[in-house]
């Protein structure tokens, strides 16, 4: 090994604390990039492979009841590669030993065995016998959550008849990677399951013999989806089509898709911040090292090392820091990616996970880190290379200070000399001070952003669960029923109050703007499910029109007083031009609201309802469940109390993890910035501080200068950090906001206080670590060092 | 030195160096004409700021003259590009500085190797250190050595490349008299043993007595040059 390389290694080991502080920040960037890119790749590859292998359909449509003979016509549509029809229904299940009501989504299997599209993967057992009416295959996670074994049975209310169904097998399906029950906000495998049964059984249960109510189509390469959708709609229209749609509106697919997009965002937004900070830290530290090693640089040149060799020597120091950072980043990133994969395995039901964090992901994250670090060091290294040897051998010229208005201001304020020293240093190196502040501000903003989530989600939950949807349970009817059933519902055990609601899948259109949604119609005096705007104000939905949410109105480009075409899907497929009577702001969904009586009149139907909202007496809930399992006309039950609880728990857990991660990141950034900053300051000022000590300043007076500069910058960085954090969050919320929900920016002082507390404490801790070196300072030798 | 015409190593012609600080022009060198001969030990004497170090830097290829010309043997250094000057320093010149300029993170041996690694025909670092009497201190770091020892490491580092010229800027400036004498003895030994042209800058008038020639500087100019008829051994010098 050459002597100059040995110098490099010794310098590196001498600087290890500073190098580590930088390397950790760099490692954050590498780890996040690796995790996000790796998971992005893993998730999208897995999904694509799964879809491909199991022939996940491209176009879907539900219809009320269409004759089987339409299949040939559907298959003849240009661009259609395969068609599969089936019957889909919903039923309340009575699972022995289970207290709660369970909802099952029932799918028919083709008479000749396995489906051709959306092919389920058999995990255990076998498919139900095509001739059997009491065999069932269930989704694997449902079986796991309920502890089902092959041969176990449960009961289901099918077409008014309670039937015992025996489990012959368990399966996974590309249609149900993310399984979410009706009315639920997140998957719950214990209370919602997918049930595959023979065609004969399902057709009999839902009166679909010779007919179907659900169709999936796979398109040939190059086919135009929108053309196929139009053609399918035209064919199914007379039979009560609910409108065909592509994968983008398929529930499971759209959830995974949004997750993949978020990973993509994460990979592009966060790592550059970390790389930027590392580059700044490297440039700061390298600048100082080169200042300290001036005479050594002069010497290297004097003895014949070329500019290039000197430049490379210093660049190599940055490369070593990068190597450590990349190494840690790869280790942590690899681990984090595995943890993420496990988390995904929990939420997403994949039969396999293609998790090959391929070499290019490692290479890309490593290269990005190496490049930014080297760039950070480049300026200093080039400066070293350019330093003329004769000048390098002389002590550096003292930094130039000039008197300015600030000095006059400081003089009039009668500040102490140490305070003036602090302020002059900040003003003398404005770029360095500014970048240090920016680094600390970014640390503040890293804590600010996730805190916003807590407050915003609480706001949404409050609005949705406690002001709008106040019911304890929802009884979903298998089909619309006369309003009179409310009286029966009110007689059920535990039920204190029962209110009806109508749900209508519709297509709203205005000119060429078109949107699918569901109209909720209720009575104006509804108490359990109310229409609430963003401010928590109850909105009375007047008869004679429709109330739209702001997002929906914007997408349709309508204002209050405009008319919008409403096509009621299912039933007679009537289209009515309705006046927009109000536009309200809401956090969840693309809501549209109408008065129940007005809908009945409009559609010329007797008073009827699609679901019953109930408030319950907790003490009798078990009795209620027992009764509900025997009611044939129920398609599903949603216990809102459970939904609320599981939602809050999941959110709290996830936010807790996220908050912790971000606080750690903020700590690493703060330590990286303040520790290095203070070390550099100490090194620059060591003679100065030693002189002060010799002149009779106490240790704490001298410490004040060191701590004061760092802490002043930290304090100044706070408002900037709050502002950046708020800005980042606002743009994040903006990009998250979808037809499913949009996040309100709830500004609360506690958000900022927490972030500032974390960062100021970490700054103080870091600078105190450096301050200890003042105690060890040998005054005599400090004065002798020539610099 | 024999009677025949001595071979010239360095020749300067009207060398001037001007430093500009703000509006003030400072003439560090104001037209220096000088010849230095192969194998001689020359002492450049003069007070601080008289231009000695500036001249040494120019001779050593560390700096350019503002005006005038400089030759090393037949090669003109005056407008030599940076790359060529690096080559020149690497191949021909050894430097010794007042403050030793050792790399603190390298041991004595490694400090010498810093030079031997890049020289075309170096002597082993161990040999160079043995020459300056530090054979038993090779693995010590600068912080573990006295000032005199550090300066001897610096000399070992300078001579390890077998330079034709040794340029020493106040080599004893930071040392006490007894230690200084030891360093001067090493320098004289090298000069005598290898015939290395040795230029010593000093403001210590006593040191001139060991030189072949003494060049006196004042205000950026050579004020006098004289040849010592009899030279003193370093051990006879006291200050």
């Amino acid at each position: 090994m050459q002597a100059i390389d040995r110098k490099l290694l010794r310098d590196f080991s001498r600087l290890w604390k500073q190098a580590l502080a930088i390397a950790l920040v760099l490692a954050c960037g590498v780890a996040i990039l690796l995790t996000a890119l790796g998971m992005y790749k893993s998730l999208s590859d897995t999904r694509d492979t799964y879809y491909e292998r199991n022939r996940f359909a491209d176009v879907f449509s539900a219809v009320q009841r269409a004759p089987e003979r339409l299949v040939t016509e559907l298959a003849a549509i240009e661009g259609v590669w395969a068609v599969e029809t089936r019957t889909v229904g919903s039923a309340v299940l009575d699972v022995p030993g289970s207290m709660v009501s369970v909802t099952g989504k029932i799918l028919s299997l083709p008479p000749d065995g396995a489906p051709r599209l959306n092919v389920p993967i058999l995990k255990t057992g076998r498919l139900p016998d095509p001739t059997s009416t009491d065999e069932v295959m269930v989704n694997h996670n449902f079986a796991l959550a309920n502890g089902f074994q092959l041969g176990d049975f449960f009961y289901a209310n099918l077409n008014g008849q309670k039937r015992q169904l025996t489990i012959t097998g368990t399966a996974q399906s590309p249609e149900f990677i993310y399984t979410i029950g009706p009315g639920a906000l997140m998957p719950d495998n214990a209370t919602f399951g997918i049930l595959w049964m023979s065609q004969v059984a399902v057709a009999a249960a839902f009166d679909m013999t010779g007919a179907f109510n659900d169709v999936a189509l796979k398109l040939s390469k190059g086919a135009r989806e929108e053309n196929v959708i139009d053609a399918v709609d035209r064919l199914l229209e007379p039979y009560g089509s609910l409108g065909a749609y592509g994968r983008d509106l398929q529930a499971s697919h759209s959830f995974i898709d949004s997750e993949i997009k978020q990973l993509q965002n994460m990979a592009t937004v966060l790592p550059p911040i970390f790389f930027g900070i590392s580059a700044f830290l490297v440039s700061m530290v390298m600048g100082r090292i080169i200042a300290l090693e001036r005479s050594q640089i002069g010497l290297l040149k004097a003895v014949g090392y070329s500019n290039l060799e000197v430049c490379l020597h210093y660049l190599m120091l940055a490369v070593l820091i990068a190597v450590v950072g990349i190494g840690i980043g790869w280790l942590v990133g690899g681990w984090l990616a595995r943890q993420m994969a496990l988390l995904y395995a929990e939420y997403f039901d994949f039969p396999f996970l293609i998790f090959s964090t391929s070499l290019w992901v490692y290479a890309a994250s490593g290269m990005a880190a190496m490049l930014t670090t080297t760039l950070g060091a480049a300026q200093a290294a080039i400066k070293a290379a350019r330093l003329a040897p004769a000048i390098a051998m002389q002590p550096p010229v003292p930094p130039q200070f000039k008197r300015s208005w600030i000095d006059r201001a400081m003089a009039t304020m009668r500040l102490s000399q140490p305070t003036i020293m602090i302020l002059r240093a900040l003003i003398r190196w404005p770029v360095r001070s500014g970048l240090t502040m920016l680094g600390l501000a970014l640390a503040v903003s890293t804590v600010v952003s996730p805190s916003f989530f807590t407050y915003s989600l609480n706001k949404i939950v409050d609005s949705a669960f406690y002001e709008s949807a106040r019911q304890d349970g929802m009884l979903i009817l298998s089909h619309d029923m006369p309003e009179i059933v409310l009286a029966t519902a009110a007689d059920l055990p535990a039920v204190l109050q029962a209110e009806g609601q109508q749900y209508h899948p519709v297509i709203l259109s205005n000119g060429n703007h078109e949107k699918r949604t569901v109209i909720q119609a209720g009575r104006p005096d509804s108490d359990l499910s109310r229409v609430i705007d963003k401010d928590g104000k109850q909105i009375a939905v007047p008869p004679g029109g429709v109330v739209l949410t702001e997002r929906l109105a914007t997408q349709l480009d309508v204002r209050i007083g405009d008319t919008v075409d409403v096509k009621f899907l299912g039933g007679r497929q009537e289209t009515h031009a309705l006046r927009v009577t109000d536009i309200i702001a809401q956090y969840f969904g693309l809501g549209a609201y109408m008065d129940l009586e007005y809908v009945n009149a409009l559609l010329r139907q007797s008073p009827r309802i699609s679901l019953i909202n109930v408030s319950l007496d907790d003490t009798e809930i078990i009795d209620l469940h027992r009764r509900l399992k025997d009611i044939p006309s129920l398609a599903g039950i949603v216990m809102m109390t459970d939904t609320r609880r599981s939602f809050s728990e999941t959110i709290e857990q996830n936010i807790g993890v996220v908050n912790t991660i971000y606080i750690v990141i903020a700590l690493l950034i703060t330590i990286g910035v303040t520790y290095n900053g203070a070390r550099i300051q100490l090194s620059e000022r060591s003679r100065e501080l030693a002189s002060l000590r010799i002149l009779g300043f106490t240790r704490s007076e001298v410490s004040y200068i060191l701590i004061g500069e760092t802490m002043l910058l930290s304090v100044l960085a706070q408002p900037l950090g709050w502002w950046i954090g708020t800005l980042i969050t606002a743009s994040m919320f903006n990009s998250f906001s979808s037809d499913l929900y949009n996040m309100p920016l709830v500004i609360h002082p506690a958000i900022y206080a927490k972030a500032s507390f974390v960062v100021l404490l970490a700054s103080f801790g870091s600078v105190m670590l450096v301050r200890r070196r003042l105690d060890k300072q040998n005054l005599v030798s400090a004065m002798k060092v020539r610099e | 030195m024999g009677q025949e015409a001595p071979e010239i190593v360095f020749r300067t012609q009207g060398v001037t160096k001007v430093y500009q600080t703000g509006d003030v022009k400072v003439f560090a060198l104001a037209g220096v004409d000088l010849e230095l001969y192969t194998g001689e030990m020359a002492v450049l004497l003069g007070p601080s700021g008289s231009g000695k170090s500036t001249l040494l830097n120019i001779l050593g290829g560390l700096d350019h003259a503002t005006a005038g010309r400089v030759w090393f043997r037949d090669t003109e250094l005056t407008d030599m590009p940076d790359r060529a000057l690096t080559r020149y320093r690497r191949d021909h010149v050894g430097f010794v500085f007042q403050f030793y300029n050792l790399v603190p993170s390298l041991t004595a041996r490694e400090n010498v190797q810093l030079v031997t690694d890049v020289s075309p025909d170096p002597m082993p670092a161990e040999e160079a250190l043995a020459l300056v009497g530090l054979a038993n201190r090779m693995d010590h770091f600068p912080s573990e050595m006295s000032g005199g020892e550090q300066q001897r490491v610096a000399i070992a580092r300078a001579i390890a490349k077998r330079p034709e010229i040794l340029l020493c800027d106040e080599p004893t400036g930071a040392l006490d008299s007894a230690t200084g004498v030891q360093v001067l003895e090493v320098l004289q030994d090298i000069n005598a043993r290898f015939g290395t042209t040795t230029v010593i800058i000093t403001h210590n008038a006593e040191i001139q007595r060991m030189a072949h020639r003494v060049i006196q500087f004042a205000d950026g100019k050579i004020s006098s040059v004289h040849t010592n008829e009899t030279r003193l051994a370093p051990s006879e010098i006291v200050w």
Side-chain angles (χ1 to χ4, degrees):
Chain A
M1 189 189 284
Q2 298 225 313
I4 193 164
D5 297 328
R6 232 169 283 148
K7 168 182 182 303
L8 177 71
L9 290 180
R10 297 236 172 87
D11 286 348
F12 183 65
S13 61
R14 183 169 51 86
L15 291 166
W16 74 269
K17 281 186 202 157
Q18 279 169 275
L20 185 68
I22 300 173
L24 285 175
V25 176
L26 193 65
C28 280
V30 174
I32 291 175
L33 190 61
L34 190 71
T35 311
L37 269 186
M39 285 319 298
Y40 163 75
K41 187 97 179 62
S42 161
L43 209 55
S44 51
D45 283 359
T46 304
R47 182 189 66 175
D48 294 346
T49 313
Y50 192 16
Y51 282 180
E52 178 84 32
R53 280 189 203 164
N54 292 59
R55 295 195 287 276
F56 182 55
D58 298 302
V59 171
F60 310 81
S61 183
V63 58
Q64 289 213 306
R65 192 179 196 283
E68 198 58 56
R69 64 179 161 76
L70 278 185
V71 171
T72 32
E73 288 175 58
L74 286 166
I77 294 171
E78 192 189 333
V80 171
W81 179 77
V83 182
E84 190 152 76
T85 61
R86 63 185 176 185
T87 299
V88 175
S90 203
V92 174
L93 310 181
D94 178 2
V95 177
S98 169
M99 286 301 173
V100 297
S101 315
V102 178
T103 305
K105 180 171 180 135
I106 302 172
L107 312 176
S108 70
L109 289 165
D112 50 356
R116 293 178 59 208
L117 298 183
N118 307 324
V119 184
I121 294 181
L122 203 60
K123 291 288 285 185
T124 60
R126 59 168 174 84
L127 289 171
D129 187 304
T131 59
S132 156
T133 54
D134 56 6
E135 287 186 350
V136 66
M137 176 171 79
V138 301
N139 64 318
H140 192 63
N141 281 349
F142 178 57
L144 285 182
N146 284 288
F148 291 142
Q149 303 291 324
L150 296 184
D152 283 356
F153 61 85
F154 53 79
Y155 301 94
N157 273 311
L158 295 175
N159 207 19
Q161 217 186 346
K162 191 161 180 175
R163 198 173 293 163
Q164 179 178 325
L165 302 176
T166 306
I167 299 171
T168 63
T170 62
Q172 286 173 305
S173 159
E175 258 184 298
F176 303 104
I177 297 172
Y178 189 86
T179 332
I180 188 162
L185 289 172
M186 47 187 53
D188 182 2
N189 289 313
T191 61
F192 180 71
I194 309 295
L195 279 52
W196 284 270
M197 290 176 70
S198 70
Q199 167 103 34
V200 278
V202 185
F206 296 98
D207 191 23
M208 286 283 165
T209 312
F212 64 89
N213 69 1
D214 191 82
V215 60
L217 304 101
K218 183 125 193 86
L219 308 189
S220 21
K221 277 215 170 68
R224 291 184 56 123
E225 189 184 282
E226 57 274 29
N227 294 351
V228 175
I229 288 177
D230 286 347
V232 171
D233 280 346
R234 271 196 303 277
L235 271 177
L236 297 181
E237 170 99 44
Y239 306 98
S241 166
L242 294 180
Y245 53 91
R247 283 180 178 180
D248 54 329
L249 291 178
Q250 204 265 350
S252 164
H253 177 88
S254 65
F255 269 98
I256 301 167
D257 212 44
S258 78
E259 189 63 36
I260 288 175
K261 285 208 182 93
Q262 277 191 33
L263 285 170
Q264 216 174 355
N265 273 342
M266 193 164 125
T268 46
V269 176
L270 287 177
I273 294 179
F274 292 102
F275 291 154
I277 293 176
S278 324
F280 159 60
L281 292 179
V282 166
S283 94
M284 196 164 79
V285 169
M286 292 301 295
R288 184 55 199 160
I289 289 173
I290 279 157
L292 279 178
E293 296 196 350
R294 243 177 108 85
S295 62
Q296 293 184 34
I297 294 165
L299 168 91
L300 286 174
K301 292 194 166 183
V303 302
Y305 281 85
S306 70
N307 289 350
L308 184 68
E309 283 166 321
V310 171
C311 183
L312 284 179
H313 173 66
Y314 287 99
L315 277 184
M316 279 308 285
L317 197 59
V319 167
L320 283 181
I321 294 175
V323 165
V324 174
I326 293 168
I328 299 175
W330 279 351
L331 280 179
V332 175
W335 176 81
L336 216 60
R338 265 191 299 280
Q339 296 303 307
M340 287 273 277
L342 289 177
L343 202 68
Y344 283 135
E346 200 175 304
Y347 285 102
F348 297 126
D349 190 14
F350 284 113
F352 51 86
L353 196 62
I354 301 176
F355 182 63
S356 55
T357 319
S358 43
L359 279 178
W360 77 263
V361 178
Y362 278 96
S365 59
M367 294 255 287
M370 187 60 79
L371 202 71
T372 42
T373 318
T374 329
L375 273 180
Q379 196 205 358
I382 290 169
K383 198 173 151 196
R386 286 216 183 123
L387 205 56
I391 294 171
M393 308 296 285
Q394 293 162 4
V397 186
Q400 287 190 356
F401 287 90
K402 281 184 185 149
R403 286 188 68 80
S404 68
W405 62 270
I406 300 170
D407 297 86
R408 285 189 287 278
M410 287 194 290
T412 47
M413 282 190 282
R414 295 177 183 279
L415 297 174
S416 69
Q417 291 307 319
T419 307
I420 291 175
M421 284 171 72
I422 292 173
L423 294 176
R424 285 235 173 93
L426 297 190
I427 298 159
R428 176 63 185 77
W429 288 279
V431 175
R432 189 165 84 186
S433 307
L435 286 175
T436 304
M437 259 171 65
L438 185 65
L440 292 171
L442 285 172
V444 174
S445 69
T446 355
V447 186
V448 165
S449 275
S451 302
F452 263 113
F453 275 85
T454 317
Y455 284 90
S456 300
L457 281 170
N458 280 341
K459 174 89 180 165
I460 291 189
V461 167
D462 264 1
S463 162
F465 284 161
Y466 296 99
E467 289 171 8
S468 173
R470 309 201 294 177
Q471 69 275 50
D472 296 324
M474 287 196 290
L475 311 180
I476 302 166
L477 304 174
S478 54
H479 51 268
D480 285 6
M481 291 181 131
E483 209 171 4
I484 201 145
V485 297
L486 280 177
T488 323
D491 282 344
L492 288 169
V495 173
L496 302 173
Q497 201 180 350
E499 289 175 1
Q501 241 183 333
Q502 245 179 58
Y503 272 66
H504 284 284
V506 292
I507 293 176
L508 303 178
S509 52
N510 174 38
N512 52 359
H513 303 289
E514 194 179 273
K515 204 72 199 170
R516 288 172 68 102
T517 185
V518 171
I519 284 185
Q520 297 179 33
R523 295 204 170 273
D525 56 349
S526 288
D527 186 43
L528 296 179
S529 173
R530 311 188 298 172
V531 183
I532 294 289
D533 70 3
K534 262 184 181 161
D535 306 321
K537 198 166 68 140
Q538 183 170 6
I539 304 292
V541 179
V546 61
V547 172
L548 303 180
T549 47
E550 213 168 51
R551 192 177 174 87
L552 193 54
T554 311
Q555 290 184 6
L556 292 169
D557 192 22
V558 290
R559 272 161 288 279
I560 295 178
D562 290 355
T563 49
V564 60
D565 288 330
V566 181
K567 179 174 185 182
F568 289 85
L569 300 170
R572 289 190 291 265
Q573 310 279 33
E574 291 176 16
T575 302
H576 296 274
L578 297 179
R579 204 166 65 85
V580 177
T581 52
D582 203 354
I583 291 173
I584 56 168
Q586 276 188 335
Y587 303 126
F588 267 116
L590 288 174
Y593 305 92
M594 287 178 74
D595 177 66
L596 183 60
E597 297 232 12
Y598 178 64
V599 175
N600 286 334
L602 196 68
L603 299 179
R604 302 174 306 286
Q605 61 188 16
S606 58
R608 57 179 70 183
I609 52 175
S610 336
L611 71 80
I612 303 167
N613 293 312
V614 289
S615 66
L616 301 171
D617 171 5
D618 285 351
T619 57
E620 292 178 57
I621 280 194
I622 293 174
D623 294 331
L624 175 70
H625 280 298
R626 200 173 297 136
R627 282 287 301 281
L628 288 177
K629 290 170 182 175
D630 294 329
I631 297 179
S633 44
L634 281 185
I637 294 156
V638 182
M639 297 308 291
M640 293 300 283
T641 335
D642 296 344
T643 307
R644 282 182 200 119
R645 197 184 46 238
S646 77
F647 185 74
S648 299
E649 275 171 11
T650 314
I651 294 293
E652 252 163 53
Q653 194 188 345
N654 287 352
I655 294 260
V657 172
V658 169
N659 267 323
T660 314
I661 291 176
Y662 278 85
I663 285 178
V664 169
I665 288 174
L667 288 176
L668 291 179
I669 296 177
T670 310
I671 294 168
V673 173
T674 41
Y675 183 77
N676 278 303
R679 280 295 298 270
I680 285 167
Q681 212 203 116
L682 178 66
S683 139
E684 283 173 353
R685 285 188 187 278
S686 67
R687 269 166 74 86
E688 205 169 292
L689 298 181
S691 313
L692 288 178
R693 293 272 290 120
I694 290 166
L695 290 177
F697 278 73
T698 64
R699 224 170 237 155
S700 58
E701 280 164 341
V702 172
S703 305
Y704 164 71
I705 298 172
L706 181 71
I707 299 169
E709 185 176 329
T710 307
M711 291 315 288
L712 181 61
L713 283 175
S714 297
V715 169
L716 290 175
Q718 299 306 314
L720 184 64
W722 300 338
W723 181 69
I724 295 176
T726 312
L727 217 64
I728 291 177
T729 318
S731 87
M732 255 159 61
F733 282 5
N734 206 18
S735 75
F736 285 165
S737 114
S738 68
D739 289 355
L740 285 173
Y741 62 90
N742 55 83
M743 304 270 280
L745 199 65
V746 182
I747 292 177
H748 196 283
I751 295 173
Y752 301 128
K754 179 177 152 197
S756 293
F757 177 74
V758 169
V759 170
L760 287 175
L761 198 70
S763 301
F764 189 68
S766 312
V767 74
M768 286 309 278
L769 275 180
V770 177
R771 199 214 68 87
R772 286 194 319 188
R773 295 179 163 258
L774 274 182
D775 300 340
K776 296 182 198 147
Q777 205 178 25
N778 180 331
L779 298 184
V780 178
S781 71
M783 292 312 294
K784 271 189 182 167
V785 173
R786 197 188 68 140
E787 166 78 19
Chain B
M1 302 280 290
Q3 291 304 306
E4 71 271 24
E7 196 184 333
I8 295 171
V9 186
F10 281 118
R11 189 155 63 84
T12 72
Q13 205 175 70
V15 167
T16 304
K17 180 75 183 179
V18 184
Y19 292 110
Q20 183 104 24
T21 349
D23 296 332
V24 189
K25 276 188 178 175
V26 179
F27 279 81
L29 290 175
V32 172
D33 300 311
L34 176 70
E35 286 176 353
L36 292 167
Y37 310 118
T38 300
E40 80 168 331
M41 176 178 275
V43 163
L44 305 191
L45 197 65
S48 297
S50 58
K52 315 177 297 278
S53 293
T54 308
L55 180 65
L56 196 80
N57 287 343
I58 291 171
L59 295 180
L62 293 175
D63 207 350
H64 284 287
T66 315
R69 302 174 74 182
V70 186
W71 289 267
F72 166 70
R73 299 198 190 285
D74 298 329
T75 317
E76 182 160 2
L77 301 178
T78 320
D79 294 318
M80 211 180 234
D82 197 52
R83 189 184 293 265
L85 277 182
T86 301
R87 195 78 238 168
Y88 159 69
R89 292 197 300 266
R90 184 183 284 215
D91 296 347
H92 304 288
V93 191
F95 284 102
V96 176
F97 306 100
Q98 179 178 2
F99 292 103
Y100 338 128
N101 288 41
L102 299 182
V103 176
S105 57
L106 297 180
T107 61
R109 188 204 309 265
E110 289 161 354
N111 262 291
V112 179
Q113 281 170 346
L114 204 54
V115 170
T116 57
D117 283 343
V118 294
S119 305
D121 176 33
M123 64 176 81
E126 294 76 11
E127 188 185 327
L129 284 163
L131 279 172
V132 297
L134 287 176
N136 57 345
R137 305 283 281 163
M138 285 199 246
D139 293 317
H140 287 70
F141 282 95
S143 57
E144 297 165 334
M145 290 190 276
S146 70
E149 285 173 326
Q150 289 186 53
Q151 190 61 297
R152 280 188 281 157
V153 174
I155 294 172
R157 185 176 62 187
I159 59 169
K161 65 163 75 161
R162 306 179 200 279
E164 290 163 71
I165 336 137
L166 198 53
L167 302 178
C168 313
D169 192 351
E170 299 277 10
T172 59
L175 303 172
D176 60 74
S177 161
T179 321
V181 167
Q182 285 176 14
V183 167
L184 292 177
E185 276 173 340
V186 171
L187 288 177
Q188 196 187 40
D189 181 46
I190 303 290
N191 173 253
R193 197 191 292 222
F194 300 108
T196 312
T197 308
T198 307
V199 183
I200 299 174
I201 284 187
T202 183
H203 61 267
N204 182 340
E206 289 304 310
I207 294 176
Q208 61 174 305
R209 299 168 71 183
M210 64 181 275
H212 293 114
R213 278 200 307 155
V214 180
I215 298 135
Q216 187 88 36
F217 267 75
D219 299 328
K221 289 182 187 143
I222 295 172
S223 55
S224 70
V225 178
H226 77 269
T227 306
N228 281 330
E229 296 306 323
T230 49
R231 297 168 63 205
L232 290 187
S235 56
E236 296 168 284
I237 298 174
V238 199
W239 66 85

